[in-house]
Amino acid sequence: MTEVREPHTVAVVGAGAAGTLTAVQLCETATRRRTPLDLVLLDPAPEAGRGTAYATRDPRHRLNVPAGGMSCYPDDPGHFTRWLCRHGEPAVTGADFATRYRFGAYLADTLAQAIVRAQGTVSVRRLRNRAETCTDTPDGRVELHLADGGHLTADSVVLATGPAAPSAGWAPPALRASDRFVAEPWRTGALDGPCSDTADVLLVGTGLTAVDLALTLDRPGRTVHALSRSGLLPQPHALTPAGPMASPTDLDDTSLGRLRRAVYRHISRSVRTHGDWRPALDSLRPHTARLWHSLTPEDRAEFLAREGALWNTHRHRMAPATAESVSRARTARRLGVHTGTVTDVVEQDGPLLVTLSNGRTLHVGWVIDCTGPGRHLDDPLWRSLFASGAVVPGPLGMGVATREGRLLDAEGRADRPLFTLGAPRRGELWETTAIPEIRVQAAALARELLTPLTRTPRPSRRPVDGHGLALTTHAEAAAAYRGGLERVLKVRAGAEDAFARTVALDPGFALGHAALALLGHECGAAVDVPRALAEAGRCARERADDRERSFVDVVTRRVHGDEGDTALVRHLDAYPADALALAAAVPTIAFSGVTDLDGDHALRLVERTSPAHDGHWFHTSLLAFLRQEQGRLHEAGELAHRALASEPASGHAVHALAHVHYESGAHEAGRDWLDGWVSGQGRGAVHRAHFSWHIALHELALDDPAAVRRRWFAQLAPGRVVTGVRALVDSGSLLWRARLSDSWRGELPASDVLDTVARDVLERPATAFTALHVAVALAAAGDLPALHRLRDHALGADEVQREVIVPLCEAFAALVEERFHEAARGLDALLPVLRRVGGSAAQREVVEETLLYALVSAGRCDAARRLLDARLDRKEAPRDRRMRAGLVA
């Protein structure tokens, strides 16, 4: 009889930020590993994700970390920014500061999406209740006793309860007993009294909580007083952040004195180098926990006493907009900041007379505790754990003692399945309350909880792709992957859907995620590329063979512009039968390919990989394309016909033959043959617009403007027929070439092309090939400011964009401004290095044609005639004959 294994039950106590991040990681990790899990979220709050910090609806309450640092995922830093763009803020960047309420909505939505994707593997329950005590069960599990009298038994419990509540120990007894004292300002309705009148208010504390409340309570006729021992407000973030700074090298485990001197030296270097202290402090973030751990208890206590307030005000900063509002309030004397403590409070028939340690007295209507989290966890659940010895206080009495997140008992053991993260680990880690730290802890907790449950599959024969390479997945997902791969190799529609089905069937299959990322990055597929790439990396670390990990590394490097060509060549040397990698290496219709200086890598790769493919039609079609690039047109045509005889739907072979016809000047035959294929076998081609572009090139060369216009409106019109990057590469470049050769009369609809392309692609193209075509479309539209922005992006992008796209943008800008001599010089200098951007000679020819236009416009007719003669020597074209005759006349 087969034993039925019940799913492991994990209870997460607390559904604020820490609990939500833990639940997200548990759902996604269990799904990738196909580990059944019963997940219970226990929190009385009405909505997951908000907790205390992100429930405020006041739009003036902003995050104190830019959006680029607030992703739920450590390996996908742009996730929150992209979420904001999809949810009503399309212009937001990673440097912007979102409202706290929006971030709470993001957390809730991310959890909801993770739960949906985990269906079938993870069962999620949400209990709006409170755990009050915790006991062990005889079988080694944990039983939580709930406030309503019920109980919950779990195999593991994660205490994600957030920061300890403030104790108000600083407040005199008379103040604590007063109705005009607000001890928990974030509790629902707590500020109803202070917000309903204009009496002055005293905020005790000058940290971020006090700043938020000062903005909420600010109004004409009222003074908001803020008081703390240091009298220091948080520092603001820089309006224009300086660049990142390398971490110091002299931060070895050391005494507090030596560490203090090293940090101040590092800050001085930052001020000298960047003109700002912030990069130095930010560069310490990855080392803070290690340095804190290296200090003795005495050194830690001294640091808290001497530098604690100074560290907090510089480390936890205000958003620039918040800092500006605070500055205005202080200038208008509606906000006053005081140094000292509260020594006495007398209630005078409503208003409070508050005496400060500096001798000053304040008449206020309300006193609000803004001192922030307390040191001691004091809710019923934690009290019961302390009382039973299941947990003990952490260093300096802050939080609880843990070992890698697992709670230590009074004997120093970590035997119980009790875990925590975030604020309760403050004594152990010091910096542990911000999202960047909590998300790392959540991911680590998910791995630790699920690793013992993940079954190692029994050795069996693995499924293979269509070229005999093993796949680390099950048969059904492998079949979907093979379907996607075949569609990529044939240049047929549906590859993206097939790969999406692959990862839906097996979310832990690294190759499926990597293939999606590659299609999104290189082909403009509707894929969240950073997310697919992050998923591929997670899956590769957990379950993949060497080839799959190598391919994930290749795609990662290509997306990030980090020696992607080198990694791709190395991968194909090791795995020559990897057809998807080979497709990515060859600059054809779908992929930009390798873009090394001599341009021969792709050909050498195809020739070296020939034995592994043994005459396969796909490999033959790639070789046909590269032979025509070499000018070996007859051989290329024979290879293309051979591939088509084996696979009539081979888009690569058709593409190669289209180039053979164009480069040999067989424009009428090429037009007619390709037009027939597009209308028949090519109906399912994913890049039909590109084949139509090839037909239009023939019509342009035949000097048939009417046919070009008909083709453009019928098969290349942006929005209606073609969109996105394809509209840039095909529709936009054809428009520009038609205008340059006087084959398009009237208004040029270049703005229609730009309107169909995502703003991010226009402003920050990922590849030099895309950037080239963005520049062409912007020149056609005469958009000089956008050309300048593209140039600025290219300056900070990869080497090819810096060395080719930057001068290209400058030349196009000169053309738009009718500085034709300067434009011609710049374009002429680019021709020898232009193949570095990838693509085909026919695609890059647009730059040569722009040069010809610039030469004629500059009056350099002799140079223009020489260029036309060289073009006519390469291939016959009636249009070029007509243009040359015009120059002679």
Side-chain angles (χ1 to χ4, degrees):
M1 195 171 170
T2 303
E3 179 184 355
V4 178
R5 185 178 63 151
E6 291 187 3
H8 188 90
T9 299
V10 176
V12 178
V13 180
T20 298
L21 290 172
T22 302
V24 167
Q25 291 291 343
L26 284 169
C27 285
E28 298 194 352
T29 305
T31 302
R32 285 195 304 273
R33 298 183 179 189
R34 289 178 274 176
T35 303
L37 185 68
D38 182 15
L39 177 61
V40 184
L41 276 174
L42 186 62
D43 193 304
E47 184 180 2
R50 297 206 177 276
T52 299
Y54 308 116
T56 170
R57 290 180 174 270
D58 192 329
R60 293 167 292 189
H61 295 171
R62 296 192 170 270
L63 299 171
N64 64 310
V65 174
M70 293 295 286
S71 166
C72 287
Y73 303 100
D75 51 1
D76 185 5
H79 190 260
F80 177 43
T81 307
R82 299 197 306 277
W83 184 91
L84 288 170
C85 290
R86 292 193 304 269
H87 290 79
E89 299 182 46
V92 75
T93 71
D96 293 327
F97 292 81
T99 65
R100 298 230 304 269
Y101 192 81
R102 289 286 277 164
F103 185 71
Y106 161 70
L107 288 175
D109 186 57
T110 302
L111 175 58
Q113 295 297 322
I115 291 172
V116 169
R117 289 191 298 269
Q119 286 181 352
T121 302
V122 182
S123 169
V124 181
R125 289 181 286 155
R126 173 85 160 86
L127 299 182
R128 288 189 60 186
N129 210 324
R130 190 184 303 278
E132 295 195 330
T133 60
C134 175
T135 57
D136 299 331
T137 64
D139 58 358
R141 300 202 292 172
V142 174
E143 186 169 80
L144 295 170
H145 303 271
L146 309 181
D148 64 359
H151 66 274
L152 171 67
T153 303
D155 297 282
S156 304
V157 173
V158 178
L159 300 175
T161 55
S167 64
W170 55 269
L175 178 60
R176 290 200 296 271
S178 173
D179 292 338
R180 292 184 170 266
F181 176 54
V182 180
E184 299 178 63
W186 297 122
R187 180 175 46 81
T188 302
L191 297 179
D192 289 350
C195 288
S196 63
D197 64 25
T198 59
D200 290 354
V201 175
L202 172 62
L203 309 177
V204 180
T206 56
L208 292 169
T209 296
V211 167
D212 281 344
L213 294 185
L215 297 182
T216 295
L217 298 172
D218 181 30
R219 62 205 57 200
R222 161 182 281 170
T223 299
V224 176
H225 302 275
L227 170 75
S228 71
R229 294 178 185 275
S230 66
L232 297 175
L233 289 171
Q235 291 289 314
H237 281 277
L239 275 172
T240 305
M245 185 176 184
S247 302
T249 57
D250 53 351
L251 291 181
D252 297 328
D253 296 354
T254 182
S255 69
L256 178 61
R258 288 194 292 271
L259 181 60
R260 182 185 289 123
R261 289 190 292 274
V263 169
Y264 278 115
R265 284 196 302 270
H266 185 54
I267 292 173
S268 297
R269 284 194 295 270
S270 178
V271 172
R272 290 195 303 272
T273 304
H274 299 278
D276 191 356
W277 51 266
R278 294 171 183 83
L281 211 62
D282 294 340
S283 72
L284 297 176
R285 189 165 193 163
H287 308 282
T288 304
R290 175 179 62 82
L291 295 173
W292 175 259
H293 185 72
S294 72
L295 296 176
T296 65
E298 294 75 19
D299 280 347
R300 294 181 192 177
E302 181 184 343
F303 169 78
L304 290 179
R306 289 183 54 182
E307 279 95 14
L310 193 63
W311 171 270
N312 285 331
T313 56
H314 286 74
R315 172 66 186 81
H316 304 287
R317 304 193 280 272
M318 292 185 282
T322 301
E324 184 180 350
S325 298
V326 168
S327 177
R328 285 199 302 267
R330 295 191 73 179
T331 300
R333 300 186 179 237
R334 296 195 307 274
L335 173 62
V337 181
H338 310 278
T339 302
T341 59
V342 174
T343 59
D344 188 38
V345 175
V346 177
E347 191 162 359
Q348 300 176 325
D349 296 327
L352 302 172
L353 178 64
V354 181
T355 304
L356 308 183
S357 59
N358 59 15
R360 183 170 181 174
T361 58
L362 301 174
H363 291 268
V364 296
W366 305 87
V367 175
I368 303 176
D369 188 350
C370 300
T371 55
R375 283 198 177 192
H376 309 293
L377 298 162
D378 197 36
D379 67 15
L381 178 59
W382 283 111
R383 283 200 301 270
S384 76
L385 290 169
F386 281 119
S388 67
V391 301
V392 292
L396 303 181
M398 295 191 297
V400 293
T402 67
R403 181 181 301 141
E404 300 299 326
R406 194 162 189 145
L407 295 172
L408 296 177
D409 63 16
E411 304 297 324
R413 297 172 305 191
D415 296 338
R416 292 180 175 86
L418 296 174
F419 304 82
T420 193
L421 76 164
R425 298 184 67 185
R426 189 169 177 232
E428 176 195 1
L429 302 175
W430 174 236
E431 286 285 340
T432 181
T433 58
I435 295 298
E437 284 76 32
I438 295 175
R439 67 190 181 194
V440 172
Q441 295 173 31
L445 262 184
R447 289 193 297 270
E448 182 173 353
L449 287 167
L450 295 175
T451 294
L453 310 177
T454 304
R455 289 182 170 180
T456 303
R458 296 176 180 175
S460 61
R461 185 174 180 179
R462 290 192 291 164
V464 296
D465 68 4
H467 297 259
L469 296 176
L471 302 174
T472 309
T473 187
H474 54 75
E476 193 176 2
Y481 179 81
R482 285 193 296 271
L485 178 59
E486 183 179 14
R487 290 176 180 275
V488 169
L489 302 188
K490 290 181 180 179
V491 198
R492 307 291 284 183
E496 175 193 340
D497 293 338
F499 289 137
R501 174 169 168 75
T502 300
V503 297
L505 291 168
D506 182 2
F509 183 35
L511 218 52
H513 292 291
L516 280 172
L518 184 65
L519 290 187
H521 175 67
E522 299 256 351
C523 307
V527 175
D528 186 340
V529 174
R531 176 159 183 81
L533 203 58
E535 289 283 6
R538 296 164 197 157
C539 298
R541 289 189 293 271
E542 294 179 356
R543 171 166 60 88
D545 63 18
D546 290 342
R547 178 185 73 89
E548 292 165 334
R549 280 191 291 270
S550 175
F551 185 79
V552 170
D553 179 63
V554 164
V555 178
T556 301
R557 290 178 181 275
R558 285 183 76 79
V559 172
H560 293 157
D562 179 19
E563 298 183 352
D565 286 356
T566 303
L568 183 52
V569 171
R570 189 168 55 242
H571 176 85
L572 282 166
D573 284 341
Y575 309 103
D578 193 331
L580 185 54
L582 186 60
V586 180
T588 61
I589 189 171
F591 299 102
S592 59
V594 295
T595 55
D596 64 305
L597 278 170
D598 59 25
D600 291 332
H601 262 155
L603 179 61
R604 292 199 297 272
L605 283 173
V606 172
E607 291 173 339
R608 283 206 308 269
T609 55
S610 181
H613 293 268
D614 193 26
H616 191 277
W617 58 263
F618 167 66
H619 190 274
T620 302
S621 62
L622 291 186
L623 187 57
F625 180 82
L626 294 174
R627 288 293 184 235
Q628 66 80 25
E629 283 280 292
Q630 289 181 295
R632 296 159 64 171
L633 300 180
H634 180 72
E635 183 181 351
E638 289 185 342
L639 289 167
H641 283 297
R642 187 190 309 167
L644 285 169
S646 177
E647 177 48 74
S650 172
H652 284 297
V654 173
H655 188 221
L657 200 54
H659 278 273
V660 169
H661 286 141
Y662 183 72
E663 300 299 342
S664 63
H667 297 301
E668 291 183 352
R671 175 197 60 195
D672 296 342
W673 181 86
L674 190 53
D675 204 9
W677 185 85
V678 167
S679 301
Q681 189 71 47
R683 287 183 181 274
V686 69
H687 295 304
R688 290 188 73 210
H690 188 66
F691 293 116
S692 297
W693 174 82
H694 271 283
I695 303 170
L697 282 192
H698 287 306
E699 293 167 338
L700 200 59
L702 290 168
D703 212 14
D704 189 350
V708 172
R709 289 180 71 95
R710 285 195 303 270
R711 182 79 53 186
W712 196 88
F713 282 109
Q715 298 177 357
L716 288 160
R720 208 163 37 84
V721 180
V722 58
T723 60
V725 174
R726 197 80 265 167
L728 275 178
V729 173
D730 298 323
S731 311
S733 68
L734 180 67
L735 271 183
W736 182 236
R737 291 168 85 153
R739 166 56 62 85
L740 293 174
S741 60
D742 202 26
S743 298
W744 190 288
R745 301 294 176 86
E747 184 180 356
L748 199 70
S751 59
D752 293 349
V753 174
L754 296 172
D755 289 343
T756 70
V757 184
R759 176 178 174 179
D760 192 55
V761 173
L762 296 176
E763 301 277 349
R764 295 177 289 277
T767 67
F769 178 76
T770 303
L772 164 67
H773 286 87
V774 172
V776 167
L778 294 175
D783 194 338
L784 197 61
L787 274 170
H788 290 156
R789 291 196 297 273
L790 178 61
R791 177 202 58 196
D792 294 342
H793 160 75
L795 278 169
D798 58 79
E799 180 182 354
V800 179
Q801 291 206 49
R802 290 196 303 272
E803 297 183 6
V804 180
I805 302 303
V806 169
L808 181 74
C809 288
E810 292 169 347
F812 276 150
L815 193 76
V816 171
E817 294 182 315
E818 299 186 357
R819 293 180 283 116
F820 298 117
H821 285 283
E822 186 178 337
R825 281 197 304 272
L827 293 169
D828 189 47
L830 281 172
L831 291 184
V833 298
L834 197 59
R835 72 181 300 168
R836 295 185 65 194
V837 304
S840 66
Q843 288 170 317
R844 298 189 298 269
E845 197 176 51
V846 67
V847 178
E848 184 183 71
E849 293 181 358
T850 308
L851 169 60
L852 179 62
Y853 177 83
L855 289 171
V856 173
S857 301
R860 296 175 57 188
C861 294
D862 288 342
R865 278 195 295 271
R866 287 194 297 272
L867 181 55
L868 278 168
D869 287 341
R871 287 165 60 87
L872 287 165
D873 286 343
R874 292 200 307 265
K875 59 177 176 286
E876 182 59 38
R879 177 200 54 183
D880 286 359
R881 287 283 177 201
R882 186 255 303 168
M883 293 176 68
R884 193 187 188 289
L887 285 175
V888 172

